[in-house]
Amino acid sequence: LSADISDVIKNIRTIDSSIQKSASDRPISEINRLDLAILRLSVFELIISKSAPEKVIVDEAVEISKEYGGDSSASFVNGVLGAIIKNESR
């Protein structure tokens, strides 16, 4: 991963805004903390640093979610990141 936590924190408003737009049925405060951390880092890499191809970023986020998240984490993370990619390409 190319992101330093301070880079993510500096851009947290932009990142959280993007997450909120793409997961509008669930407020940021209600997103599982691990899922939110995975999303924040992934969104930073997708829309700010553009450090890797979108597919690689999403695949890594989903794999981390499967390994450490809850039963629905991987599908939730995949759905949010897919929506963000779709929204950003407009």
Side-chain angles (χ1 to χ4, degrees):
L1 298 172
S2 67
D4 181 279
I5 191 66
S6 63
D7 294 329
V8 175
I9 293 169
K10 287 177 196 170
N11 292 283
I12 200 77
R13 285 188 176 155
T14 302
I15 292 166
D16 282 358
S17 175
S18 186
I19 292 169
Q20 192 61 72
K21 287 177 194 166
S22 298
S24 57
D25 62 325
R26 193 178 305 181
I28 292 277
S29 62
E30 292 181 15
I31 296 174
N32 171 292
R33 291 287 148 216
L34 180 63
D35 295 348
L36 184 57
I38 293 166
L39 285 170
R40 283 175 167 162
L41 180 59
S42 300
V43 171
F44 173 82
E45 292 189 337
L46 281 171
I47 67 172
I48 297 168
S49 76
K50 301 182 182 192
S51 60
E54 293 172 344
K55 183 176 179 6
V56 172
I57 294 168
V58 173
D59 286 349
E60 288 296 318
V62 169
E63 286 305 312
I64 293 168
S65 298
K66 284 179 184 176
E67 183 73 24
Y68 299 104
D71 292 340
S72 63
S73 291
S75 60
F76 176 70
V77 167
N78 188 53
V80 172
L81 295 177
I84 288 170
I85 290 168
K86 189 176 176 181
N87 291 338
E88 291 295 317
S89 65
R90 289 183 184 164

